[in-house]
Amino acid sequence: MKNKSPGVMWLLFALALVLLMPSNQSLWIDEGFTLPYAQDSSFANFVSRLQSEEGSESLMPLGMLSSWAGAKIFGQSELGLRAVSALWAVVAVLLLWRTGVLIGLAWLPALLACHPFLWYYASEVRPYAMVIAMGSGLLYAFVAILSPDGKTNRGFYALLLFGPLLCATYVLGVVPFAVVVGVAALALFQRRWKPRAREILAFVLSGGALIALGLYDASAVSRGADINWEGPWKTGLGSLLFSGYELLGFMGFGPGRIELRQSAIEHGIVGSLRSLAHPAAVGLVVLALLYIVILLRFWKRFRSDQSTADRLVPVTGFVIAVTMGIVFVVCLTVGSVFWGRRLASVLPFVVLAAGIAANAPRRIGQRPLNVLPLFLGATLLTSSLLVRFNPHHSRDDYRGAARIARTAVQEGKTVWWAGDQVVGEYYNVVFCGADPADQRACVVRTNNRDKRGLEHLPEPDVILISKPELFDTSGAVRSYIDEHRFQLKSHLMAFQVFEAP
């Protein structure tokens, strides 16, 4: 009983942290892609939308279904919409706990719960927390199959369950699933493992589900659905470095996403690196030094006295590296930006590798307390708390922008809006129809109109503009602001508010 208690305490600690993850911050543009699915009134409407979808959401069917079901249970407030992501974070923690128990690291779920990548996506109306949960199940299967302690069959069933679920949650989940299947198949072949009738039946059922999913994805791609969205970003060294920055937990110590985004757009990779220089950046140095110490310490131990868990690190690193490489090539090929969220499924693998490397097997005469995992967890948790509570890491403030737009319309003013329509409508902004010149008490959309397109619109009293590289690509609205000497009245996160002189 004494050996199990610490593991349970770490699990309870991790679950307590999950309660802090979801927020009621304003929804932002990425969440706007999921929002229509969550708002569908019936399952039939949901299916109809999914079948006609031409964006990447159609390649995330289980993720969209989760958001639809979550909205029916928890409601459509910001917190209610994000609650389902927090539930998937709970699933991820529980599955990583089971993995940790297999290798004698029952505190592993606490390390995951301290990671800012999980904190960020457990508070977002997107499927990435669910992807992390399915990735945790895939990791459990991976470790169980490679374990020498007779857990092969259990791992085999887990692989056949969580692999297809991961692929159905996010199409790029097929990459880590295929890599893990390859590693597992090699291990089973070397072990001369022979499946029984029940394992063969499970394999056939899982294979059938994958075939059906493959046919669905092929149908979605044939009607134009893909992950091909790049905007102002290019897949290259910068996006690769940023993905590592996210997966290793540095994001809370760096600038907010809006600031980092703007620096990258204006100055490229060098500008992004310059933006890292600010007071919280001491955490970047501390965490980087921790990783260096952990790596050197593990390398020394690995060369002289490997434990069973230690031998998992190279093969786990192989899964991470191959997955990252394949996804990077896929993004380059289809012209899609390579972000850390593309690799959400390997976050549990990163946590496992870091946890094993930081751990030190106890020996006679050594102190019983292994401080490196505690230091790593505390540093990651600090990064997470900054991501969650520091205003610099807030999402686009559509709630505040909508409030300004509605107030201006009530005062009889004409408002131009260069921003996301779906999220604006969520916050009760009433947009004008196709011909706004003859309409009143509504907000005029100017998204990506050219100069000639603006000439036919009613003259504005207030202009709200967000992320011009997305919503004013021609620069026409910004030129109008300069030519008519509009004055900047206020800044909101990712928004600027201008008024006529």
Side-chain angles (χ1 to χ4, degrees), residues 153-204:
N153 291 347
R154 192 183 301 176
F156 182 77
Y157 288 126
L159 182 64
L160 297 182
L161 173 64
F162 289 106
L165 287 177
L166 173 59
C167 297
T169 302
Y170 185 43
V171 66
L172 287 178
V174 70
V175 178
F177 178 46
V179 176
V180 169
V181 165
V183 173
L186 180 61
L188 293 175
F189 177 78
Q190 291 176 339
R191 201 177 297 165
R192 297 183 179 180
W193 178 77
K194 294 182 179 180
R196 298 166 297 181
R198 67 182 68 175
E199 278 91 34
I200 294 174
L201 177 60
F203 178 80
V204 170

Side-chain angles (χ1 to χ4, degrees), residues 175-176 179 240-241 243-244 247 318-330 338 340 343 346 350:
V175 178
V179 176
L240 190 63
L241 290 174
S243 297
L247 285 170
F318 172 81
V319 171
I320 296 168
V322 173
T323 299
M324 181 176 287
I326 293 175
V327 173
F328 184 79
V329 171
V330 168
F338 180 79
L343 303 169
V346 302
V350 172

Side-chain angles (χ1 to χ4, degrees), residues 215-456:
L215 292 174
Y216 165 80
D217 285 340
S219 172
V221 171
S222 69
R223 66 172 181 264
D226 58 27
I227 58 170
N228 184 9
W229 188 90
E230 194 166 82
W233 303 98
K234 304 297 178 184
T235 293
L237 178 60
S239 58
L240 190 63
L241 290 174
F242 186 71
S243 297
Y245 170 87
E246 289 184 296
L247 285 170
L248 291 175
F250 289 99
M251 54 200 299
F253 298 122
R257 282 177 174 249
I258 302 300
E259 181 184 349
L260 195 60
R261 174 193 185 94
Q262 198 59 36
S263 295
I265 290 173
E266 293 177 358
H267 307 294
I269 296 173
V270 175
S272 299
L273 294 176
R274 282 201 208 109
S275 68
L276 298 178
H278 63 97
V282 64
L284 293 171
V285 177
V286 171
L287 186 54
L289 289 175
L290 262 176
Y291 279 128
I292 292 172
V293 170
I294 288 169
L295 182 62
L296 293 176
R297 190 166 174 262
F298 172 75
W299 178 244
K300 181 179 178 181
R301 185 174 83 234
F302 188 78
R303 293 178 63 187
S304 60
D305 186 19
Q306 301 174 17
S307 67
T308 301
D310 287 343
R311 287 191 284 273
L312 283 173
V313 173
V315 69
T316 302
F318 172 81
V319 171
I320 296 168
V322 173
T323 299
M324 181 176 287
I326 293 175
V327 173
F328 184 79
V329 171
V330 168
C331 289
L332 276 176
T333 303
V334 303
S336 178
V337 69
F338 180 79
W339 289 128
R341 59 177 174 260
R342 308 283 194 215
L343 303 169
S345 57
V346 302
L347 176 67
F349 290 79
V350 172
V351 170
L352 175 72
I356 294 174
N359 187 56
R362 298 180 187 176
R363 297 184 181 87
I364 297 175
Q366 284 193 332
R367 292 171 61 107
L369 181 63
N370 184 15
V371 295
L372 266 183
L374 291 174
F375 282 150
L376 178 60
T379 307
L380 288 173
L381 181 57
T382 302
S383 179
S384 296
L385 293 174
L386 288 170
V387 166
R388 173 64 177 82
F389 296 107
N390 190 324
H392 292 294
H393 292 280
S394 297
R395 292 167 169 82
D396 307 6
D397 190 5
Y398 272 82
R399 183 166 54 201
R403 187 183 304 115
I404 291 173
R406 293 196 311 269
T407 300
V409 168
Q410 289 170 2
E411 294 172 353
K413 297 178 180 178
T414 299
V415 179
W416 282 9
W417 174 282
D420 188 81
Q421 178 182 350
V422 173
V423 184
E425 289 175 337
Y426 174 81
Y427 287 111
N428 301 314
V429 174
V430 177
F431 290 101
C432 301
D435 185 11
D438 298 327
Q439 301 177 54
R440 296 291 181 269
C442 57
V443 174
V444 180
R445 289 171 292 160
T446 64
N447 292 0
N448 295 325
R449 292 178 183 257
D450 57 19
K451 185 175 182 179
R452 181 174 297 179
L454 295 181
E455 290 174 354
H456 301 288

Side-chain angles (χ1 to χ4, degrees), residues 13 54 78 106 146-147 160 166 168 185 194 211 242 256 266 308 357 359 414 442 463 483-484 490:
F13 172 71
E54 294 185 359
E78 294 94 336
L146 297 183
S147 171
L160 297 182
L166 173 59
K194 294 182 179 180
I211 291 172
F242 186 71
E266 293 177 358
T308 301
N359 187 56
T414 299
C442 57
I463 297 177
E483 291 170 6
H484 293 79
S490 62

